[in-house]
């Protein structure tokens, strides 16, 4: 009797080895078919990750790496609730013991407001978040703020919103552990490999052309974020309206002052923010209007113009610190202990929601990009959507997550950007 020929395993090529690409590769590599008696068969997908540099080459290694569930769109709130739970249990997703892969620090997120109208808008949004299932988000008045956060200057405050289950992440551990587990499960990782074109049959990509030879594939995932528009163009996909915007982070030494790690992520009304980085440093940030750099190079990621350098007494870094000291006066004593400035690129869309969708012109190309500064926190949710797209093989407008049907059309590549703009962007 002739043995039955084995059906070829679909080949998935993930371009980009940051957190998003790493989690997608890890999840797809774990999927297994079951045979007729319930035993595990070979992997359902043959996964290859292609990275032009070292893993985490782009924004993932240069991110503020915060995570919050306080958003203004329902699907994103549910997705971020899923992401928090995923990162809380990250170790089990990568085959580790809990003590070996602790990547989430839940210090909370505190949004502070002086303007009554902006506070009322934030309070209204918080009520919607509670209705959507985010039960631990709170609206606080000045007396409650003073009680919970005595280090905050409440003299001019109108109020705040607070979610204790928000916090920040350890991205290097996330993409390193996820890729390591993907490789253990059979995925291939191609570092320092440039994608420079594709072989196609009609509109379908059949192989990626790289500096290390052709990579045959049935599905391609563009997880390159700020690089995504040029990757899509190279693969003859749709034009992605993603702006590459430089963002800066500033680090101050605290001389191991007590209580530093107890600070939450604090966001002032003007968008200035800070959080603890470790027991001896705090991180400051502020997203401001800046000229996009669509043709940036790898090296450009770390170029810090003088006007954004923390060493410049009149630069944006020191201005951000000075503004934050008016909200949290204790920061003033850290301003003379400068540690340094880092930078990287946001991949920003017109409505600040990402693209997670099949390309309308290249039916086997999935885009997972344009996160507008939220890529790492969004990555588990992104992974769930991408895996659903891979499994279904076509564009999807809804998805089940934790028993709820979510509208994921807000992540469509060709959506109307006026319909679902994300209001809570830092």
């Amino acid at each position: 009797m002739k043995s039955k020929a084995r059906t070829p395993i679909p080949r998935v090529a993930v371009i980009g080895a940051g957190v998003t690409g790493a989690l997608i590769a890890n999840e797809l590599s774990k999927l297994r078919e079951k045979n007729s008696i319930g035993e595990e068969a070979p992997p359902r997908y043959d996964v290859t990750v292609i990275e032009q540099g070292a893993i985490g080459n782009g924004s993932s290694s240069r991110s503020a790496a915060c995570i919050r569930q306080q958003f203004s769109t329902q699907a994103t709130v549910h997705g971020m609730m899923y992401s928090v739970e995923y990162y809380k249990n990250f170790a089990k997703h990568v085959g580790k013991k809990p003590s070996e892969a602790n990547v989430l620090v839940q210090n909370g997120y505190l949004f502070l407001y002086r303007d009554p109208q902006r506070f009322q808008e934030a309070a209204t949004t918080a009520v919607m978040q509670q209705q959507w299932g985010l039960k631990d988000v709170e609206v606080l008045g000045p007396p409650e703020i003073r009680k919970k956060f005595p280090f905050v200057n409440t003299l001019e405050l109108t109020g705040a919103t607070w979610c204790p289950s928000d916090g920040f992440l350890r991205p290097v551990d996330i993409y390193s552990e996820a890729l390591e587990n993907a490789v253990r499960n059979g995925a291939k990782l191609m570092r320092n490999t440039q994608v420079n074109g594709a072989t196609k049959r009609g509109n379908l990509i059949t192989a990626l052309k790289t500096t290390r030879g052709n990579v045959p594939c049935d599905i391609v995932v563009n997880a390159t974020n700020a690089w995504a528009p040029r990757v899509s163009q190279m693969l003859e996909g749709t034009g992605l309206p993603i702006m590459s915007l430089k963002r800066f982070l500033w680090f101050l030494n605290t001389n191991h002052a007590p209580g530093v790690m107890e600070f939450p992520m604090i966001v002032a009304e003007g968008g200035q923010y800070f959080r603890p980085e470790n027991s001896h440093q705090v991180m400051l940030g502020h997203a401001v209007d800046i000229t996009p750099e669509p043709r940036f190079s790898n090296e450009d990621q770390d170029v810090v113009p003088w006007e954004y350098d923390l060493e410049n007494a009149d630069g944006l870094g020191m201005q951000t610190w000075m503004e934050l000291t008016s909200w949290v006066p204790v920061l003033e004593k850290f301003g003379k202990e400068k540690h340094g400035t880092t930078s990287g690129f946001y991949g920003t869309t017109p409505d600040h929601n990402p693209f997670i969708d099949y390309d309308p012109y290249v039916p086997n190309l999935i885009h997972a990009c344009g996160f507008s500064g939220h890529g790492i926190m969004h990555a588990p949710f992104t992974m769930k959507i991408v895996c659903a797209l891979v499994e279904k093989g076509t564009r999807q407008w809804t998805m089940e997550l934790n028993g709820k049907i979510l509208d994921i059309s807000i992540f469509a590549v060709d959506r109307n950007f006026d319909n679902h703009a994300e209001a809570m962007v830092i």
Side-chain angles (χ1 to χ4, degrees), residues 225-226 229 240-246 290 292-294 296 345-350 352:
N225 205 31
L240 295 175
I242 295 174
M243 291 190 299
S244 304
L245 301 177
K246 181 68 76 70
I290 194 168
E293 300 180 45
F296 71 91
F345 285 97
Y346 274 14
T348 302
T349 65
H352 303 289

Side-chain angles (χ1 to χ4, degrees), residues 295-356:
R295 302 309 303 175
F296 71 91
S297 67
N298 261 341
E299 293 72 24
D300 290 334
Q301 294 183 93
D302 299 312
V303 173
V304 179
W306 178 239
E307 60 264 38
Y308 301 105
D309 197 304
L310 192 58
E311 293 300 323
N312 182 351
D314 299 316
L316 182 64
M318 291 306 291
Q319 292 173 23
T320 298
W321 166 74
M322 291 175 64
E323 175 62 21
L324 285 168
T325 61
S326 73
W327 300 79
V328 184
V330 71
L331 277 179
E332 188 170 357
K333 65 182 180 181
F334 303 148
K336 297 177 183 178
E337 297 289 339
K338 305 178 186 71
H339 180 76
T341 306
T342 65
S343 62
F345 285 97
Y346 274 14
T348 302
T349 65
D351 62 359
H352 303 289
N353 285 312
F355 298 125
I356 315 173

Side-chain angles (χ1 to χ4, degrees), residues 83 92 116 140 168 178 239 248 281 315 337 352 367 404:
S83 289
K92 78 173 184 180
L140 306 178
F168 63 95
F248 305 91
Q281 286 180 354
E337 297 289 339
H352 303 289
H367 299 291
K404 296 185 180 296

Side-chain angles (χ1 to χ4, degrees), residues 11-13 48 206-208 214-218:
R11 299 160 298 183
V12 181
T48 301
T206 58
L208 294 175
N214 287 355
V215 177
C217 51
D218 300 295

Side-chain angles (χ1 to χ4, degrees), residues 145-222:
I145 297 169
R146 280 192 292 272
K147 184 176 179 180
K148 284 180 177 287
F149 310 104
F151 48 81
V152 172
N153 175 14
T154 60
L155 289 179
E156 299 179 11
L157 280 190
T158 304
T161 63
W162 160 245
C163 185
S165 55
D166 294 341
F168 63 95
L169 298 158
R170 302 299 187 192
V172 175
D173 293 341
I174 295 169
Y175 60 70
S176 298
E177 295 288 357
L179 287 169
E180 182 180 305
N181 195 55
V183 171
R184 278 198 299 268
N185 286 321
K188 295 177 285 293
L189 174 59
M190 301 172 68
R191 298 178 176 89
N192 302 306
T193 304
Q194 185 78 40
V195 176
N196 49 34
T199 300
K200 301 181 79 174
R201 185 178 64 251
N203 292 333
L204 294 173
I205 298 170
T206 58
L208 294 175
K209 299 177 181 178
T210 81
T211 51
R212 292 175 58 190
N214 287 355
V215 177
C217 51
D218 300 295
I219 297 174
V220 176
V221 180
N222 176 12

